[in-house]
Amino acid sequence: MFSSIKRCLIGRPLKSNELGEQKLNKKKALAILSSDALSSVAYGPEQILIVLITVSAAALWYSIPIAAGVLILLTALILSYRQIIFAYPHGGGAYVVSKKNLGVNPGLVAGGSLLVDYILTVAVSVSAGTDAITSAFPNLHDLNVVIAVLFVILLTLLNLRGVTESASVLAYPVYLFVLALFILIGVGLFNIVTGEVSPDLHTPVGTPIAGISLFILLRAFASGSSALTGVEAISNAIPNFKDPAPKNAAKTLAAMGILLALLFSGIVYLAYYYGITPRADVTVVSQIAEETFGRNFMYFFIQGTTALILILAANTGYSAFPLLAVNLAKDKFIPRMFTLRGDRLGYSNGIIILGISSIVLIIAFKGHTEQLIPLYAIGVFIPFTLSQTGMTVKWIREKPKGWIPKLIINSTGALISFTVTIMFFLTKFAQVWPVLVFIPVIIYVFHRIRNHYEAVGEQLRITACEPSVPIEGNVMVVPVAGITHVVDNSLNYAKSLSAEQIIAVYVAFERGDEKKFEEKWKEWQPDIRLVTLHSQYRSIIQPLTKFVDTVEHKASESNYRVTVVIPQFIPKKGWHNFLHNQSSLLIRAFLLYRRNVVVTTVPYHLKK
Amino acid sequence: MFSSIKRCLIGRPLKSNELGEQKLNKKKALAILSSDALSSVAYGPEQILIVLITVSAAALWYSIPIAAGVLILLTALILSYRQIIFAYPHGGGAYVVSKKNLGVNPGLVAGGSLLVDYILTVAVSVSAGTDAITSAFPNLHDLNVVIAVLFVILLTLLNLRGVTESASVLAYPVYLFVLALFILIGVGLFNIVTGEVSPDLHTPVGTPIAGISLFILLRAFASGSSALTGVEAISNAIPNFKDPAPKNAAKTLAAMGILLALLFSGIVYLAYYYGITPRADVTVVSQIAEETFGRNFMYFFIQGTTALILILAANTGYSAFPLLAVNLAKDKFIPRMFTLRGDRLGYSNGIIILGISSIVLIIAFKGHTEQLIPLYAIGVFIPFTLSQTGMTVKWIREKPKGWIPKLIINSTGALISFTVTIMFFLTKFAQVWPVLVFIPVIIYVFHRIRNHYEAVGEQLRITACEPSVPIEGNVMVVPVAGITHVVDNSLNYAKSLSAEQIIAVYVAFERGDEKKFEEKWKEWQPDIRLVTLHSQYRSIIQPLTKFVDTVEHKASESNYRVTVVIPQFIPKKGWHNFLHNQSSLLIRAFLLYRRNVVVTTVPYHLKK
């Protein structure tokens, strides 16, 4: 039953050699990997204005130079990541690049912060999208958390179905959003050019403003640069592209950069020209749309696609998290299960863990995950800095043909990212300090896990010089609860194995019991030695373990192996298991994990 | 670690022969078994007044004749249960009495409704007590549910420690409550006799009242008789008494009846004389206490002990539920685990299940369990009726010496209980109908469980005519994941058992893998046959099961047994288990439950 539900939700299992068909073409890749970056246009410009308005409405003209700064940063990042794509065609991303060029620990800092960051991406963007929807339908407002959780579940299922299928579903909203914003910006600019918008709504650029400080400007810049989260997704996901993967990825990255730059500058400019001030209840994009169209179809079209893309931004996390996890798991820093492909060839464990973690975050923050945005932004800029620095080091070390321009691009990227990171710490320390606690902790855990795997590998490796000692003989211990077919079945089995000794053990709770059972036994199985144990504390495990220990001690002296043969009857229906004391399971777990004995379970299948 | 926490919470395990020391003397038994009945004095009189006030304040004089009716009912029940105690000295209770005299299904109706009733007892009385406490400290009010749950956990732990120890702790509050109410009634009566209370506060008994109807009076009587829940507890718990158990139980029952009658009539009379009307925010007992003492120490003493005894009333459920469960489990109507005594000789499983179920109820009703009171009352009166009818039938059938008075007592008891039950259905159908759904369902479940146990017993019983067929030979299948010490260890073991055939199975996910592994294997273990399977769907279990099926099919033809030998390495620390795919566990569960093969786990303990 479970498996048919699974079939229905995520589709039939795929064969390993169908992997190629699951790869992405450029159009789908752009949709699936850039929704996070593009969606930030919906809130990035507003973040800048929110900081500037604390000075005065006149100060809003500073949004123009700040946006220019953000565009420069964007250009640097896009160019830098383009280089990474070609240098690490098997999927680079900050973890691989930093590890290869800067060492293991910088790599882990980058990988660890991205791992958590993708969880934040999902939680934050789904919550934001849900907010946008429930703002439109206020009577759904109490169900915010439930709706957000349902969206996460939906995204998880889509991704478990596989990368191309989810891309097909997700591509439309992304392109619709881009189309909607282009129409908005186009009509807006047309109105400005034709003079339909009064030019007196804004302060001219360059007007001196009292009270403006470098700190405010830096803070506004840091806030605005949170619009750049997500640009690293493509370089992480190169293995998902159709061949030639690096080339296709680079083209997709360029397309994304251009789209993002156009939309971002368009929105900032319209907001500036319209003299829009940020308001708590209406977003900046919504204000621009209302100014431009009034409350007609186009307004709702823009609002609707914005809500959708905010939710889909989460999908970037779903594309990037599992691939990053595979890289970390291959290096043994996180559990090996993340390297397994599921029925539909996606890395299901990563997808599921991501879904569960973000649901936990959404529930823990009751859907108000916007408090996590600064944390989320710094979690992106730390890996940005590390990977660009790594590339810089790489060029200096390797000096390939034409390395100077590459060096300049990457070192500029590193410098800018580093500056933004520092700005975050300086201007928003109250929100970003947890990163300083959390990164050392996660790195410690990474190392603990790796040490364990290394130790296990060491112990399992067969070395030629260590010949295995053959076992001389076997002692079989059969715990019996009565004279039944189940016991008979197990004894039969034990007898067939030519063990040196078979001992049946009966644990009695009451004194009279022992004698009676011994007599019955002698009549039934005179050849098999019966040991009766008395349990004062009504526990089977305690006296049995003690007995097995004694037997094991004696047996090991002559290199005999002890096997405990557990008779177990298997009921026909699952619910029947509740009706039987699961002693055999308990005995098995106890003996196997605590003692050095072999545990054999002999099933006796009931017919009704 | 788990076991030391357990030691600390519930004490060291007791030997089976220490059982005698856990028995109750009369004083402790009265405290532990009558807290439910006595606590109902705190709300029983109020229930009557709440119904009467719907007519008018003048109608409140009817509380006197109604209370007289309740006292008659109480006398009949106490006398009837006294007879049950002597007739069924091993612990009667409605289940045993009804089953023996009326048949299995009436017994199950009684047993089933009591089983659920005890859960309701715990949930309702703990919630009521918590309410009383948080009314005194209003800033705790939001924590109602948490506090109630903590009390349930505390009671569960006390009862897991064992009956006498919990009795010692619980006896004080019960006796303090009785003392407090006696002082209240004494001082109140003294004030009335000395004329300090105006005799004009109440309407004289017998004043004709407009609008009073038989329906109202019956409803008031039914409500008042909910004060009698809990009187059956003693007859259920006879095995907990010190010898001579029946005599001690009968004396305790009598003492409880007298105390209950005195307190009940005292409170009803004072409420009537003071002309107290029920109010939503202050209880009737609290009003009486305030009238009598003002808000001084005595007032708070009465309020405090009342709150305590309401919580302790839950303890009656803890005494009775596990014993009833033992009786039902011995007859195979509920899972066998309820018959096992725990470390401290209490029936731990019953105690734990009761605790968990009532916590679930408290959380589900968010602490407002007062809606459950009528359901809870009818759940007591149905077994009352059945057990008294059972006793009536017994006397008619057996006709022992002096049976006529016994017959009269029990048939009167049966008649009155039956009348009250009918009244509940007539006057409060909206609240009590679930009992009509729930009783058939639980009886169906009881029979299903018993049928299963019977069928299992039938199948396990060894009959002389059925000789077991000896096994001719063994085939061992060893799934291997690589060339490691773990595999070596398992092969060694398989070799030592002189099986007719040993087959190693390797499941490859990628085509190249198979060849490579076969070559390595040939070099390492040339004597052992290796079968490699290719898994297109990246699942180990599917191809392995298919292979085992084929082997099993062939083997069974010549009466060979198939054993799957699973190599399992056991990490040194618990958390390490998260880092390894638990394939061996999965394989084991799958093969054991679905196929007829023996599963042997060969542990390989890691040293670090």
Side-chain angles (χ1 to χ4, degrees), chain A residues 125-135 143-145 147-149 151 307 311:
Chain A
S125 50
V126 170
S127 305
T130 310
D131 264 347
I133 292 176
T134 55
S135 305
L143 295 173
N144 248 357
V145 171
I147 295 173
V149 168
F151 276 123
I311 289 173

Side-chain angles (χ1 to χ4, degrees), chain B residues 81-116:
Chain B
Y81 271 108
R82 196 183 145 82
Q83 311 227 41
I84 291 179
I85 287 173
F86 288 110
Y88 295 94
H90 298 296
Y95 167 64
V96 174
V97 177
S98 316
K99 192 189 66 174
K100 289 245 168 90
N101 298 301
L102 302 175
V104 171
N105 281 326
L108 291 181
V109 172
S113 49
L114 277 181
L115 214 50
V116 178

